[in-house]
Amino acid sequence: TASRGISDVSWLTIDTEGHDKHVLHGAVRLLSSRAVKVLEFEYHNLGAWRHSSVSKEVAWLQGFGYTCFWQSNKGALSPFLPGCDYDFHGWSNVVCAHHRHAVQRLRTLVPVELQ
């Protein structure tokens, strides 16, 4: 991205039919420098996810300062809670953000009973 004059990405969506984990790790420089404000990717039981842990990937992203949420098919979000097992390999989207205002806006999509 730097070679093309792009210094940051507002929203990065990854949908690679099970290879999202590989794309995440390929973007380590962007993610570790927090050049991506909001990130969204799929999680399920296809491709690399079949033998991978979404919990480990979320912990990896949290290490870069990202806050992550599950996204339902109706748009509601649920925070990742400590001690919960998220490796059920069913279809879901994960949305992560590091930008303070983006995280605040995403938290408004969390139903009151999950806050």
Side-chain angles (χ1 to χ4, degrees), residues 82-98:
C84 291
D85 179 12
Y86 293 102
D87 294 315
F88 54 85
H89 299 279
W91 178 88
S92 292
N93 273 9
V94 178
V95 179
C96 304
H98 75 81

Side-chain angles (χ1 to χ4, degrees), residues 8-16 19-43 49 54 56-71 77-78 80 92-99 102-103 106 109:
D8 67 323
V9 176
S10 296
W11 195 294
L12 175 62
T13 301
I14 303 169
D15 183 355
T16 57
H19 302 286
D20 304 52
K21 172 187 171 176
H22 297 304
V23 175
L24 288 171
H25 285 269
V28 66
R29 194 170 3 152
L30 287 172
L31 297 170
S32 65
S33 68
R34 300 192 328 176
V36 176
K37 291 180 183 175
V38 180
L39 165 70
E40 181 177 9
F41 61 93
E42 276 191 328
Y43 167 72
W49 286 126
V54 73
K56 286 181 183 177
E57 298 308 317
V58 166
W60 180 72
L61 290 164
Q62 289 170 334
F64 298 140
Y66 286 86
T67 299
C68 296
F69 302 86
W70 282 113
Q71 182 182 31
L77 299 180
S78 173
F80 274 79
S92 292
N93 273 9
V94 178
V95 179
C96 304
H98 75 81
H99 190 269
V103 172
L106 291 171
L109 298 173

Side-chain angles (χ1 to χ4, degrees), residues 1-6:
T1 56
S3 66
R4 297 180 189 262
I6 299 171

